[in-house]
Amino acid sequence: MTGGAGTAAGAGMTAAARRIAVLGAGPGGLYFAALAKQLAPHREITVFERDAREDEFGFGVVFSDETLDGIAQADPAVFAAISTEFARWSDIDIRYAGQVRTSGGHGFAALDRNRLRAILQQRCAELAVDVRYRTPAPPVEQLSAEYDLVVAADGIHSATRAAHPDTFRTELDARDCRYIWLATDRVFEAFTFIVEEFDFGVLQVHAYPYSPTRSTFIVEIAEDAWRRAGFEAFAARELAHGESDEESVNRCADLLAGHLDGHRLIPNASRWIRFTTVRNASWRHRNVVLLGDAAHSAHFSIGSGTKLALEDALALAAALSEQPTLDGALAAYEAERRPVVESTQRAAQASLEWFETVGRRTGQGIDQFAFNLLTRSRRVTYGNLRARDPAFVDAVDAAVGGSPGVPPMFRPLKLAALELRNRVVVPPLATFTSPDAQPSAFDRAQLTAHALGGAGLVLAGMTAVSPEGRATDRCPGLWSDRQEAAWTELRDAVRAVSDTPVGLQLTHAGRRAATTVPGPDGIGRPLAEGWPLLAASPLPWDADSPTPHEANEVQLAAVTADFAASAERAARAGFDVLELQFGHGHLLSSFLSPLTNHRTDHYGGPLAHRLRLPLEVLAAVRAVWPAGRPLLVRISAADWAPGGTTEAEAVAICRALADAGADALDVSTGEVVSHQRPPYGRGYQTPFAELIRAATGLPTVAVGAISGPDDADSVLLAGRADLVAIGRAHLHDPLWTLHAAADQGYTGPGARWPEPWRAGSRKPPGPGADRVAPRLHLLREPAPPVHRRWLPVRAEE
C-alpha cells in the first residue's frame, strides 16, 4: 500500500463490504479492486476472470486530462506507471476529399489497453488482491449469498444484467453502422478522422496513436454500404473464438492503402460488429452493482469505455469508504455517476448519429466539413474551438465567405426579397393574454421588446385562422376586420421604434384546440366549456381529451379558405414574413403524420394523400401572400414515437413544400402525439434542420434548446441551418441578441443597438473590474503550443 491514506480513509468504510467479489479483470474491475483494497487493506477482494492473465484484447485507449487527474490523486503508483508510457498530442487531423485540415489545442493521452491492464494486474498483486484467471465466475446468486458485495464489471454482454432483468431494466440500442476494431503499425501523429467516398458509399476511420509503434484504427461503415462493398460475404463465415475476419481486414487495407503508407493493419479477434448503447434504469440489485460497460456504454467516437469504467471504479471505491451502509454507498455511487454518464451518452449519441449520417455532409467543402465534424457532439463549439485554435476557425470563416471579426450569427441573410441583418429568429412565443382573441397589450410589449433586442427576425405566434382553430381561449386570431385593425395598429407601433422585420404565424390547432393555458408541465387541459374539435381522424390527444370530429371535405375547403383569408389580412396589416404551422400536432400536422391520420379517402393513406390538404393550404396562401415577402412553413420532422414520420417521409414532405412555394422551413419535431419520447438536450432538433437543408436546398431554421451564442455560431458555421430560433432565452432576456454581440465583442451592423440604449451597449463593470493583478512570477511560463504531434523516438532511431 502506498502511504497511509488508505488506513485513515478505511476507518470510515462501509462495514458491510468486507468481502467483495469482482466479475471481470478488465481495467475497470482491476482498478476498482486495487482502490478498494488500498482504502481498506483488511478487505477480502476476489476477482474472477474467465480468460488467461496473458490474453490480450483491444488496442489503445484514450484518456481525458480530467480522468488522469483523478487517477493521479487516487493512486499515484498507478499514475506514475502509466504516465511514462502515454502517447500525448493536441492535434486532430481531418482527412476528407483528398485534403487534410488540422485543428490544435485539444490535448489527448493514449495508452495500450493491454499495458494498462498489466500495470493494474501488478498493482493488484502488490496489494494482495486475489485475481483468479481462467476461472469463470460462479452464478451471481451464489456470489451474492457468499460475499458482502458483488461488482459486475463483466462487460457489454453482462450475464449479471441478464440474471436480474426486472431490476436493471436494460435498454440495448444496437445501431445500423458496422465497425471493425484494428491497429496499424503506422504511427499517426494526431487523432485522425478519415472520411473516404467510394462507389459503394462512405468509409470512415477513427485512428489515434497509443505507443511508439502502433495506432488504433477503427473502420466504420453504414450497413447498406457495407453490403455493397462486399463485406457481408466475408462476415458470413463462422469464426472461432479469438479469430479475426482476415478477408475484411485485407479489403480494408486495400481500400485505405493511401492512408496507411505501406503499413499493415493488425487484427486482434477483429470482426464486424454493431455498436450497442447500453442504458440501465438501475445499476444495482441488493448487494450487486454494475460497473463500466455492464452499466453503460458510449460510442467510441467520443471517448473510451475504459475511461468511463475507471471513473466508475474510483467513484464506487470512494462511496464505499464515505458511506456508513452498503445500500447508502451503492445509492451514492449511482447518484454521483449517473448524471456524468448520461451527459457523456448524450454527447456520444449525437456523435454516433453524425457518423451514421455522414453522407449528408459530404457535399461540403473541406473546411466547413472539418468544423462540422469537430462540433458534432455539441461539446466542442465555435467558441472553444476559437479559444483553442483561432487560426483554424478563421480559415473556416473565410472558406464559407465570412468576414473577419463577424461571428456567424451576425452575418446577413437574404430570405426571398427580405434582407435580414443577422441569423437570429425570435420564434412564435405565445403569451396567452388574449381572452377576446385580439392581440393584447402584452403581445404589443413583447413584440416591441424583441424587435428592439437585436434579432434579425421576430415572429408573433399561435394566431388562429378561425374561432375553433384557437389552441386556448386566450389565444389571438386573425379572422375578422376588428382583429386585422388591432394587428395593424400593433405592427405600426413596433415599426415606429424598430425596423426589425416582424412576422406572424398562422395556425389551426385541430385536436389540440380548446384547452386551458398550459401549466408548468407545458400541457393544456380540455376546457370545461370548449368548442368542437376538428382533426384528420377522430383520435383524442390523450385519455382525458375529447374525441375530435373527422373533418369532411366541405370543412377542409373552409379551412383552406380561412388560411388564405388570414394571410391576406396579415399582408394588409404589414407583416414582413408569414409562417404556417404544419407541425406540433395542430390540424395540418395531424394530416401529415401516420400516427394521427387514419383516413381512407384521398386525404389519408400514402404520404402523397396525407400531403394533399397541407399543399392545398400552402397553394392558397402562396396565391395571396406578396411574392417578395418570405413564406415559412413549420413542420415536425419526427414524432418521437413508434410508427411516426420517418426521416425519408420528412424529406419528401419538405421537398413537396419547397416545390409548392415555401421560401424556408422551420424544422421542429414532436408534440404530435402525447406518448412521444423526445431525447431532450442541447440542440437535439438541429440534425433535422441539417437533414432538410441538405435534401431540399431550402434555407432552414434550427430550433430547440439552442440557448447560447456559442451553440448558435456552431450550428451556423457548420452549415446545419441558415437561421437559429432562440425562444426561451429571449423570454429570459429580450435583449439576448444584443448581449450576445457584446459578449463576443461585435459592434457591426448585424447587431444594431437602439440609439436611446447605445450607452448600455457595453457590459457594466463588475466587482473588482478595476483591479490589475501584479506580477508575482519572476519568469512567465510560455503558453502551451496550439499544435502538438505525437512524434515518438523509436528504438531503431
Side-chain angles (χ1 to χ4, degrees), residues 551-582:
N552 59 40
E553 293 201 22
V554 172
Q555 292 167 320
L556 297 182
V559 166
T560 300
D562 288 339
F563 269 94
S566 293
E568 287 186 286
R569 292 183 183 279
R572 289 195 297 265
F575 285 101
D576 304 287
V577 175
L578 190 69
E579 178 170 276
L580 304 180
Q581 173 61 289
F582 284 11

mmCIF file of all heavy atoms in Angstrom, residues 551-582:
data_model
loop_
_atom_site.group_PDB
_atom_site.id
_atom_site.type_symbol
_atom_site.label_atom_id
_atom_site.label_comp_id
_atom_site.label_asym_id
_atom_site.label_seq_id
_atom_site.Cartn_x
_atom_site.Cartn_y
_atom_site.Cartn_z
ATOM 1 N N ALA A 551 -62.729 15.678 -40.073
ATOM 2 C CA ALA A 551 -63.132 16.743 -40.984
ATOM 3 C C ALA A 551 -63.570 16.173 -42.326
ATOM 4 O O ALA A 551 -62.896 15.325 -42.905
ATOM 5 C CB ALA A 551 -61.975 17.709 -41.184
ATOM 6 N N ASN A 552 -64.713 16.681 -42.811
ATOM 7 C CA ASN A 552 -65.154 16.284 -44.144
ATOM 8 C C ASN A 552 -64.619 17.274 -45.179
ATOM 9 O O ASN A 552 -63.988 18.283 -44.839
ATOM 10 C CB ASN A 552 -66.682 16.167 -44.212
ATOM 11 C CG ASN A 552 -67.372 17.478 -43.857
ATOM 12 O OD1 ASN A 552 -66.925 18.563 -44.257
ATOM 13 N ND2 ASN A 552 -68.481 17.389 -43.107
ATOM 14 N N GLU A 553 -64.891 17.024 -46.443
ATOM 15 C CA GLU A 553 -64.285 17.835 -47.496
ATOM 16 C C GLU A 553 -64.796 19.267 -47.487
ATOM 17 O O GLU A 553 -64.058 20.197 -47.825
ATOM 18 C CB GLU A 553 -64.516 17.172 -48.863
ATOM 19 C CG GLU A 553 -63.768 15.844 -48.990
ATOM 20 C CD GLU A 553 -63.550 15.427 -50.435
ATOM 21 O OE1 GLU A 553 -63.590 16.304 -51.315
ATOM 22 O OE2 GLU A 553 -63.319 14.226 -50.670
ATOM 23 N N VAL A 554 -66.029 19.450 -47.092
ATOM 24 C CA VAL A 554 -66.558 20.812 -47.013
ATOM 25 C C VAL A 554 -65.805 21.591 -45.936
ATOM 26 O O VAL A 554 -65.411 22.755 -46.136
ATOM 27 C CB VAL A 554 -68.067 20.789 -46.718
ATOM 28 C CG1 VAL A 554 -68.589 22.206 -46.440
ATOM 29 C CG2 VAL A 554 -68.826 20.165 -47.882
ATOM 30 N N GLN A 555 -65.593 20.953 -44.808
ATOM 31 C CA GLN A 555 -64.861 21.613 -43.714
ATOM 32 C C GLN A 555 -63.403 21.871 -44.095
ATOM 33 O O GLN A 555 -62.833 22.912 -43.751
ATOM 34 C CB GLN A 555 -64.940 20.758 -42.449
ATOM 35 C CG GLN A 555 -66.346 20.698 -41.853
ATOM 36 C CD GLN A 555 -66.491 19.613 -40.805
ATOM 37 O OE1 GLN A 555 -65.958 18.507 -40.977
ATOM 38 N NE2 GLN A 555 -67.209 19.911 -39.727
ATOM 39 N N LEU A 556 -62.800 20.944 -44.818
ATOM 40 C CA LEU A 556 -61.416 21.138 -45.234
ATOM 41 C C LEU A 556 -61.287 22.291 -46.221
ATOM 42 O O LEU A 556 -60.321 23.063 -46.172
ATOM 43 C CB LEU A 556 -60.854 19.851 -45.842
ATOM 44 C CG LEU A 556 -60.778 18.653 -44.881
ATOM 45 C CD1 LEU A 556 -60.155 17.456 -45.570
ATOM 46 C CD2 LEU A 556 -59.987 19.004 -43.629
ATOM 47 N N ALA A 557 -62.251 22.415 -47.110
ATOM 48 C CA ALA A 557 -62.244 23.551 -48.036
ATOM 49 C C ALA A 557 -62.370 24.862 -47.267
ATOM 50 O O ALA A 557 -61.731 25.870 -47.615
ATOM 51 C CB ALA A 557 -63.368 23.403 -49.051
ATOM 52 N N ALA A 558 -63.166 24.833 -46.193
ATOM 53 C CA ALA A 558 -63.333 26.038 -45.378
ATOM 54 C C ALA A 558 -62.033 26.374 -44.648
ATOM 55 O O ALA A 558 -61.664 27.555 -44.526
ATOM 56 C CB ALA A 558 -64.467 25.834 -44.378
ATOM 57 N N VAL A 559 -61.333 25.349 -44.172
ATOM 58 C CA VAL A 559 -60.045 25.585 -43.512
ATOM 59 C C VAL A 559 -59.062 26.227 -44.487
ATOM 60 O O VAL A 559 -58.356 27.189 -44.147
ATOM 61 C CB VAL A 559 -59.481 24.258 -42.952
ATOM 62 C CG1 VAL A 559 -58.011 24.415 -42.569
ATOM 63 C CG2 VAL A 559 -60.286 23.793 -41.748
ATOM 64 N N THR A 560 -58.999 25.709 -45.694
ATOM 65 C CA THR A 560 -58.095 26.274 -46.705
ATOM 66 C C THR A 560 -58.441 27.736 -46.968
ATOM 67 O O THR A 560 -57.546 28.602 -47.037
ATOM 68 C CB THR A 560 -58.191 25.459 -47.999
ATOM 69 O OG1 THR A 560 -57.824 24.096 -47.726
ATOM 70 C CG2 THR A 560 -57.260 26.019 -49.067
ATOM 71 N N ALA A 561 -59.722 28.014 -47.088
ATOM 72 C CA ALA A 561 -60.147 29.404 -47.323
ATOM 73 C C ALA A 561 -59.819 30.291 -46.124
ATOM 74 O O ALA A 561 -59.436 31.456 -46.292
ATOM 75 C CB ALA A 561 -61.649 29.434 -47.616
ATOM 76 N N ASP A 562 -59.943 29.752 -44.911
ATOM 77 C CA ASP A 562 -59.621 30.530 -43.713
ATOM 78 C C ASP A 562 -58.141 30.903 -43.683
ATOM 79 O O ASP A 562 -57.774 32.036 -43.336
ATOM 80 C CB ASP A 562 -59.972 29.730 -42.450
ATOM 81 C CG ASP A 562 -61.469 29.621 -42.210
ATOM 82 O OD1 ASP A 562 -62.214 30.455 -42.752
ATOM 83 O OD2 ASP A 562 -61.877 28.702 -41.466
ATOM 84 N N PHE A 563 -57.268 29.965 -44.029
ATOM 85 C CA PHE A 563 -55.842 30.279 -44.061
ATOM 86 C C PHE A 563 -55.542 31.361 -45.087
ATOM 87 O O PHE A 563 -54.774 32.297 -44.817
ATOM 88 C CB PHE A 563 -55.016 29.016 -44.369
ATOM 89 C CG PHE A 563 -54.574 28.246 -43.152
ATOM 90 C CD1 PHE A 563 -55.322 27.185 -42.662
ATOM 91 C CD2 PHE A 563 -53.402 28.582 -42.493
ATOM 92 C CE1 PHE A 563 -54.911 26.461 -41.544
ATOM 93 C CE2 PHE A 563 -52.978 27.875 -41.370
ATOM 94 C CZ PHE A 563 -53.740 26.815 -40.890
ATOM 95 N N ALA A 564 -56.143 31.252 -46.263
ATOM 96 C CA ALA A 564 -55.893 32.251 -47.304
ATOM 97 C C ALA A 564 -56.403 33.631 -46.885
ATOM 98 O O ALA A 564 -55.725 34.651 -47.086
ATOM 99 C CB ALA A 564 -56.540 31.814 -48.608
ATOM 100 N N ALA A 565 -57.581 33.663 -46.274
ATOM 101 C CA ALA A 565 -58.145 34.942 -45.842
ATOM 102 C C ALA A 565 -57.293 35.577 -44.749
ATOM 103 O O ALA A 565 -57.042 36.793 -44.760
ATOM 104 C CB ALA A 565 -59.576 34.731 -45.352
ATOM 105 N N SER A 566 -56.830 34.771 -43.807
ATOM 106 C CA SER A 566 -55.969 35.306 -42.740
ATOM 107 C C SER A 566 -54.637 35.782 -43.298
ATOM 108 O O SER A 566 -54.070 36.782 -42.823
ATOM 109 C CB SER A 566 -55.743 34.249 -41.665
ATOM 110 O OG SER A 566 -56.940 33.958 -40.963
ATOM 111 N N ALA A 567 -54.101 35.076 -44.304
ATOM 112 C CA ALA A 567 -52.848 35.508 -44.924
ATOM 113 C C ALA A 567 -53.021 36.866 -45.599
ATOM 114 O O ALA A 567 -52.130 37.735 -45.510
ATOM 115 C CB ALA A 567 -52.386 34.460 -45.936
ATOM 116 N N GLU A 568 -54.154 37.060 -46.278
ATOM 117 C CA GLU A 568 -54.415 38.371 -46.885
ATOM 118 C C GLU A 568 -54.473 39.453 -45.815
ATOM 119 O O GLU A 568 -53.942 40.561 -45.996
ATOM 120 C CB GLU A 568 -55.723 38.324 -47.668
ATOM 121 C CG GLU A 568 -55.647 37.557 -48.974
ATOM 122 C CD GLU A 568 -56.938 37.678 -49.767
ATOM 123 O OE1 GLU A 568 -57.927 37.033 -49.369
ATOM 124 O OE2 GLU A 568 -56.958 38.433 -50.770
ATOM 125 N N ARG A 569 -55.125 39.152 -44.708
ATOM 126 C CA ARG A 569 -55.214 40.127 -43.616
ATOM 127 C C ARG A 569 -53.817 40.428 -43.049
ATOM 128 O O ARG A 569 -53.490 41.590 -42.745
ATOM 129 C CB ARG A 569 -56.133 39.605 -42.517
ATOM 130 C CG ARG A 569 -57.608 39.512 -42.926
ATOM 131 C CD ARG A 569 -58.468 39.065 -41.750
ATOM 132 N NE ARG A 569 -59.868 38.895 -42.116
ATOM 133 C CZ ARG A 569 -60.739 39.898 -42.207
ATOM 134 N NH1 ARG A 569 -60.344 41.139 -41.953
ATOM 135 N NH2 ARG A 569 -61.999 39.668 -42.533
ATOM 136 N N ALA A 570 -52.980 39.396 -42.892
ATOM 137 C CA ALA A 570 -51.631 39.591 -42.374
ATOM 138 C C ALA A 570 -50.809 40.480 -43.302
ATOM 139 O O ALA A 570 -50.030 41.335 -42.854
ATOM 140 C CB ALA A 570 -50.938 38.242 -42.183
ATOM 141 N N ALA A 571 -50.985 40.301 -44.606
ATOM 142 C CA ALA A 571 -50.277 41.152 -45.570
ATOM 143 C C ALA A 571 -50.729 42.603 -45.450
ATOM 144 O O ALA A 571 -49.904 43.524 -45.435
ATOM 145 C CB ALA A 571 -50.495 40.625 -46.981
ATOM 146 N N ARG A 572 -52.037 42.812 -45.341
ATOM 147 C CA ARG A 572 -52.547 44.180 -45.224
ATOM 148 C C ARG A 572 -52.126 44.812 -43.901
ATOM 149 O O ARG A 572 -51.919 46.029 -43.820
ATOM 150 C CB ARG A 572 -54.078 44.183 -45.343
ATOM 151 C CG ARG A 572 -54.589 43.875 -46.741
ATOM 152 C CD ARG A 572 -56.055 44.259 -46.876
ATOM 153 N NE ARG A 572 -56.923 43.489 -45.996
ATOM 154 C CZ ARG A 572 -57.571 42.382 -46.339
ATOM 155 N NH1 ARG A 572 -57.426 41.879 -47.573
ATOM 156 N NH2 ARG A 572 -58.361 41.755 -45.496
ATOM 157 N N ALA A 573 -51.977 43.983 -42.865
ATOM 158 C CA ALA A 573 -51.564 44.508 -41.557
ATOM 159 C C ALA A 573 -50.091 44.910 -41.539
ATOM 160 O O ALA A 573 -49.639 45.539 -40.579
ATOM 161 C CB ALA A 573 -51.827 43.470 -40.472
ATOM 162 N N GLY A 574 -49.348 44.534 -42.578
ATOM 163 C CA GLY A 574 -47.971 44.986 -42.692
ATOM 164 C C GLY A 574 -46.917 44.016 -42.213
ATOM 165 O O GLY A 574 -45.754 44.413 -42.037
ATOM 166 N N PHE A 575 -47.279 42.756 -42.015
ATOM 167 C CA PHE A 575 -46.267 41.790 -41.573
ATOM 168 C C PHE A 575 -45.303 41.481 -42.709
ATOM 169 O O PHE A 575 -45.706 41.339 -43.872
ATOM 170 C CB PHE A 575 -46.933 40.519 -41.048
ATOM 171 C CG PHE A 575 -47.540 40.703 -39.688
ATOM 172 C CD1 PHE A 575 -48.907 40.902 -39.533
ATOM 173 C CD2 PHE A 575 -46.742 40.708 -38.559
ATOM 174 C CE1 PHE A 575 -49.457 41.091 -38.279
ATOM 175 C CE2 PHE A 575 -47.286 40.897 -37.292
ATOM 176 C CZ PHE A 575 -48.645 41.097 -37.156
ATOM 177 N N ASP A 576 -44.024 41.361 -42.357
ATOM 178 C CA ASP A 576 -42.971 41.153 -43.350
ATOM 179 C C ASP A 576 -42.819 39.693 -43.745
ATOM 180 O O ASP A 576 -42.317 39.387 -44.827
ATOM 181 C CB ASP A 576 -41.630 41.645 -42.780
ATOM 182 C CG ASP A 576 -41.699 43.086 -42.330
ATOM 183 O OD1 ASP A 576 -41.741 43.973 -43.185
ATOM 184 O OD2 ASP A 576 -41.723 43.310 -41.095
ATOM 185 N N VAL A 577 -43.194 38.801 -42.854
ATOM 186 C CA VAL A 577 -42.994 37.362 -43.038
ATOM 187 C C VAL A 577 -44.248 36.650 -42.554
ATOM 188 O O VAL A 577 -44.902 37.101 -41.601
ATOM 189 C CB VAL A 577 -41.772 36.863 -42.228
ATOM 190 C CG1 VAL A 577 -41.623 35.354 -42.321
ATOM 191 C CG2 VAL A 577 -40.500 37.553 -42.699
ATOM 192 N N LEU A 578 -44.577 35.531 -43.203
ATOM 193 C CA LEU A 578 -45.689 34.703 -42.752
ATOM 194 C C LEU A 578 -45.175 33.290 -42.527
ATOM 195 O O LEU A 578 -44.398 32.766 -43.336
ATOM 196 C CB LEU A 578 -46.807 34.684 -43.797
ATOM 197 C CG LEU A 578 -48.126 34.049 -43.335
ATOM 198 C CD1 LEU A 578 -48.798 34.923 -42.283
ATOM 199 C CD2 LEU A 578 -49.071 33.830 -44.514
ATOM 200 N N GLU A 579 -45.587 32.700 -41.409
ATOM 201 C CA GLU A 579 -45.254 31.295 -41.143
ATOM 202 C C GLU A 579 -46.544 30.513 -40.964
ATOM 203 O O GLU A 579 -47.461 30.950 -40.263
ATOM 204 C CB GLU A 579 -44.387 31.159 -39.892
ATOM 205 C CG GLU A 579 -44.076 29.694 -39.565
ATOM 206 C CD GLU A 579 -43.033 29.506 -38.479
ATOM 207 O OE1 GLU A 579 -41.835 29.554 -38.810
ATOM 208 O OE2 GLU A 579 -43.424 29.329 -37.305
ATOM 209 N N LEU A 580 -46.603 29.339 -41.598
ATOM 210 C CA LEU A 580 -47.738 28.427 -41.458
ATOM 211 C C LEU A 580 -47.335 27.291 -40.540
ATOM 212 O O LEU A 580 -46.280 26.660 -40.726
ATOM 213 C CB LEU A 580 -48.157 27.881 -42.831
ATOM 214 C CG LEU A 580 -48.493 28.924 -43.899
ATOM 215 C CD1 LEU A 580 -48.881 28.238 -45.211
ATOM 216 C CD2 LEU A 580 -49.610 29.849 -43.432
ATOM 217 N N GLN A 581 -48.167 27.019 -39.546
ATOM 218 C CA GLN A 581 -47.887 25.960 -38.575
ATOM 219 C C GLN A 581 -48.416 24.639 -39.113
ATOM 220 O O GLN A 581 -49.619 24.365 -39.091
ATOM 221 C CB GLN A 581 -48.536 26.306 -37.221
ATOM 222 C CG GLN A 581 -48.478 25.211 -36.159
ATOM 223 C CD GLN A 581 -47.090 24.790 -35.739
ATOM 224 O OE1 GLN A 581 -46.391 24.152 -36.526
ATOM 225 N NE2 GLN A 581 -46.697 25.118 -34.519
ATOM 226 N N PHE A 582 -47.496 23.808 -39.626
ATOM 227 C CA PHE A 582 -47.840 22.473 -40.115
ATOM 228 C C PHE A 582 -47.276 21.392 -39.185
ATOM 229 O O PHE A 582 -47.168 20.237 -39.584
ATOM 230 C CB PHE A 582 -47.274 22.253 -41.521
ATOM 231 C CG PHE A 582 -48.026 22.951 -42.630
ATOM 232 C CD1 PHE A 582 -49.003 23.893 -42.371
ATOM 233 C CD2 PHE A 582 -47.743 22.661 -43.956
ATOM 234 C CE1 PHE A 582 -49.690 24.534 -43.398
ATOM 235 C CE2 PHE A 582 -48.412 23.288 -44.990
ATOM 236 C CZ PHE A 582 -49.384 24.238 -44.719
#
